[in-house]
Amino acid sequence: MLTADKTLMSTYNGSQFIGFAACFPRVLPRWLYARLFCPAKSNGNAAIPAPAGLRKVEAVLVESGIPEEDVEIVHPMRIRKAVDSDTRVVGVTTSDPLGKGPASSTFSSLIRREPYTAYYFRELLTHEALRSDDLRVIVGGPGVWQLADPNVRASLGIDCIVEGEAELVAPRLFRDALEGAPLPGTVSGGTVPMEKVPVMRGPTINGTVEVSRGCGRGCEFCNPNMRRVRHVPLEKILDEIRLNIPHSPKVTLHAEDVLRYKADGIVPDKDEVLRLFSEATKLTDDIGISHIALSSALSRPDLEEELADLLKCLGTGAHIYAQTGIETGSSRLVSRHMKGKAKPFSPEDWPEVVRESMKLLSGNGWVACGTLVLGMPGEQTDDVLRTLELVRDLRRYKSLIVPLFFVPLGEMTESDFFTPEGMLPEHWMLLAECIDHDFHWSGILMDELFSQNRMSGAKSRLMKFAAWYMQRRLKPYMETMKEGVSPLEGVAGLEEPPHAFEIGRQKAKA
Ligand code: SF4
């Protein structure tokens, strides 16, 4: 059985940005959150659609000779029904099992309440149906670094975690688990050559289809697996799009930088990217993009306009949404921790690259959702002021900006997590600026999204109400933050809901 927690099984009403809601602290009642953000979609026990990572594991297991009928991706709501005496191995994918990822650790440390990602992961792993001694639990996915502590794994009943990419190691591990052989606590999956990555066998969340793996820009705080860039052959991509279309016309092309599909170097290969999109648009006209790099966009300015034209976003009011990394407005920090970020431009040019790229994108119907990293090691007041200046300049461009606390990953695991206690007055001002920016543009974007009738009237009204309510609740704090003062002083954290992790720990102890 393959599965994931509710936050990873949701389509977020077709909008990947709404997926950030999974990293929010638990402030909404459970039923309301689940109804708004994680509505269950399954066919019997099977999760349809399913996360792309699970689909890849499903495909390698079947290709390795495990009978197709013995492998199933199950929705977490159906675990009780799906697990029976024949179930031997449970494979789980996770992005943020303990809520320590950049987005959730930022939001939850500010509101001082557990994020939904951690809550639902524990709810899944501590489900009584998974507590049988006959079951082996293998966990993979980008969040497994949070499960490095063997005690945490034991408390959650995890037998083995897979770090990195799973396709090469999964068949052997699952076979061993089926045969009752001992499993290592940790396995490194490394980087997998594209010819070893199979075509998926079923539809994915929001029609996610991988076009490239890796990045190659080499930011110090990034996952080491990002170092080697590999591209998926066009025919395989088109096969996976065809497979998704009967379930949903929406397809999301995924890569760390979709603009560098098949690029031989750092500058996008315009012909290859246009070929990818024009072939894809022959199959569906609802194509989304997961991530792009701002420097790639600026190094081929004509490409964004041509893509917008191809995707019918020029002058139509429709948008191309893409996530991107702004990280900082300080060229000093770019030179220190992420020299490759600005390429083919120089690190000194970074703030200007961001301004010009955002201008170019918003002028061509794109909406970039840019992340910032607050509290990078060595960050000083002047660096934060440069970022604040940059965010103020970006206010005129339709975009979203998500400030995230530094999390020690990649080559920086020796550094500390950044927390609200370490915030300078300028960090609070920057945070307020980002919140202002996002309320301004998200209101406009929500209106546009709802007017395209992609959500029921009741649901869109509820989401607008939630945004209005949050804005109202935050207003007094915003005034304080704009003055550079922490609004948290003297504010107690919200009372935590029953701690499923504790329940898991006690069960493991017993
Ligand atoms: S640009 Fe993004 S994906 Fe690439 S190395 Fe830097 S942080 Fe990682």
Side-chain angles (χ1 to χ4, degrees):
M1 184 175 96
L2 301 171
T3 190
D5 68 62
K6 269 185 206 164
T7 65
L8 290 181
M9 285 289 187
S10 172
T11 61
Y12 293 94
N13 302 299
S15 170
Q16 61 193 19
F17 291 161
I18 300 178
F20 268 113
C23 306
F24 287 171
R26 291 180 57 207
V27 288
L28 289 180
R30 235 178 87 138
W31 66 268
L32 183 58
Y33 179 84
R35 191 161 194 160
L36 281 178
F37 298 107
C38 307
K41 211 171 175 192
S42 62
N43 180 5
N45 295 334
I48 297 177
L54 284 185
R55 285 284 178 215
K56 290 291 179 191
V57 173
E58 174 191 44
V60 281
L61 294 182
V62 173
E63 285 189 11
S64 75
I66 297 179
E68 191 173 356
E69 60 279 13
D70 286 353
V71 183
E72 187 171 34
I73 302 184
V74 170
H75 193 282
M77 301 280 282
R78 310 288 295 191
I79 293 281
R80 192 182 304 277
K81 285 214 158 69
V83 174
D84 61 23
S85 55
D86 287 337
T87 311
R88 287 283 172 271
V89 193
V90 181
V92 181
T93 187
T94 182
S95 293
D96 189 30
L98 303 187
K100 288 181 170 183
S104 44
S105 66
T106 305
F107 305 146
S108 62
S109 64
L110 286 169
I111 309 281
R112 302 183 192 168
R113 199 160 186 182
E114 177 186 50
Y116 289 99
T117 47
Y119 176 78
Y120 282 119
F121 182 76
R122 275 199 316 277
E123 183 188 67
L124 173 67
L125 273 272
T126 56
H127 195 293
E128 58 185 359
L130 301 191
R131 285 282 153 179
S132 157
D133 287 343
D134 297 334
L135 278 183
R136 317 295 291 281
V137 178
I138 302 173
V139 180
V144 291
W145 61 272
Q146 300 176 22
L147 301 169
D149 182 344
N151 294 324
V152 171
R153 295 203 295 271
S155 70
L156 290 165
I158 298 169
D159 295 286
C160 171
I161 57 168
V162 178
E163 293 171 341
E165 300 166 19
E167 286 91 345
L168 291 183
V169 296
R172 175 87 245 160
L173 270 180
F174 277 74
R175 282 248 171 240
D176 285 351
L178 285 169
E179 288 162 9
L183 296 179
T186 306
V187 171
S188 172
T191 49
V192 178
M194 272 304 150
E195 59 275 16
K196 300 274 183 196
V197 177
V199 173
M200 298 180 294
R201 307 175 72 82
T204 51
I205 303 282
N206 289 335
T208 302
V209 172
E210 186 178 44
V211 301
S212 308
R213 255 185 218 186
C215 164
R217 290 188 182 272
C219 301
E220 286 177 3
F221 49 81
C222 194
N223 185 328
N225 266 63
M226 291 300 155
R227 284 190 201 125
R228 236 184 89 214
V229 194
R230 292 142 288 158
H231 305 287
V232 184
L234 183 57
E235 261 323 305
K236 264 191 182 179
I237 296 172
L238 298 178
D239 283 347
E240 292 192 346
I241 294 178
R242 283 188 200 101
L243 193 141
N244 270 288
I245 286 172
H247 302 271
S248 146
K250 183 173 181 79
V251 165
T252 305
L253 300 184
H254 170 71
E256 300 313 318
D257 184 1
V258 171
L259 298 177
R260 270 195 300 139
Y261 176 66
K262 286 201 176 171
D264 183 16
I266 209 79
V267 178
D269 184 327
K270 189 175 136 188
D271 293 341
E272 289 290 357
V273 179
L274 288 177
R275 194 149 71 93
L276 165 67
F277 278 85
S278 58
E279 289 301 317
T281 47
K282 288 179 190 163
L283 302 174
T284 173
D285 55 6
D286 192 353
I287 296 179
I289 289 176
S290 69
H291 300 81
I292 59 165
L294 293 173
S295 34
S296 298
L298 195 63
S299 66
R300 277 274 180 200
D302 47 342
L303 177 57
E304 286 70 56
E305 188 181 349
E306 289 193 40
L307 279 179
D309 192 26
L310 198 58
L311 300 178
K312 301 189 178 65
C313 293
L314 277 186
T316 61
H319 297 301
I320 308 173
Y321 290 85
Q323 205 178 308
T324 192
I326 298 173
E327 325 303 15
T328 177
S330 158
S331 24
R332 193 185 73 85
L333 285 179
V334 175
S335 302
R336 184 164 165 182
H337 296 303
M338 40 189 152
K339 278 202 178 71
K341 189 101 188 156
K343 279 182 180 172
F345 307 97
S346 78
E348 290 70 39
D349 295 332
W350 179 246
E352 220 31 50
V353 170
V354 175
R355 281 186 189 93
E356 288 304 311
S357 194
M358 294 290 260
K359 180 177 170 189
L360 172 77
L361 291 166
S362 80
N364 284 297
W366 292 62
V367 178
C369 175
T371 49
L372 296 177
V373 181
L374 274 57
M376 235 181 279
E379 187 184 47
Q380 294 166 5
T381 304
D382 187 59
D383 300 312
V384 189
L385 285 173
R386 297 282 77 80
T387 310
L388 180 60
E389 196 178 279
L390 177 62
V391 172
R392 284 182 179 146
D393 289 350
L394 298 181
R395 173 70 175 229
R396 68 192 95 151
Y397 306 126
K398 195 183 272 184
S399 56
L400 296 169
I401 298 177
V402 183
L404 303 173
F405 287 172
F406 171 77
V407 167
L409 287 170
E411 294 165 35
M412 301 177 87
T413 46
E414 298 301 309
S415 305
D416 293 326
F417 280 84
F418 189 64
T419 62
E421 290 70 37
M423 285 176 81
L424 300 166
E426 293 74 15
H427 279 126
W428 289 112
M429 292 156 73
L430 174 58
L431 194 59
E433 194 67 37
C434 294
I435 295 172
D436 249 355
H437 179 107
D438 291 338
F439 275 131
H440 171 70
W441 284 116
S442 61
I444 295 170
L445 289 167
M446 257 196 269
D447 283 341
E448 289 176 356
L449 190 70
F450 300 153
S451 69
Q452 290 160 17
N453 288 328
R454 292 176 56 178
M455 210 180 278
S456 78
K459 202 173 239 184
S460 60
R461 277 197 297 278
L462 253 179
M463 292 189 91
K464 284 195 81 169
F465 173 77
W468 170 84
Y469 181 74
M470 266 164 47
Q471 198 166 4
R472 195 162 155 252
R473 288 288 302 268
L474 280 174
K475 203 170 172 210
Y477 303 111
M478 290 288 283
E479 300 306 318
T480 317
M481 288 195 283
K482 281 178 186 167
E483 301 288 318
V485 177
S486 163
L488 298 180
E489 276 158 34
V491 177
L494 296 170
E495 197 187 320
E496 281 288 339
H499 216 287
F501 185 54
E502 259 324 301
I503 299 169
R505 196 188 285 278
Q506 282 163 15
K507 277 189 182 168
K509 232 173 156 185

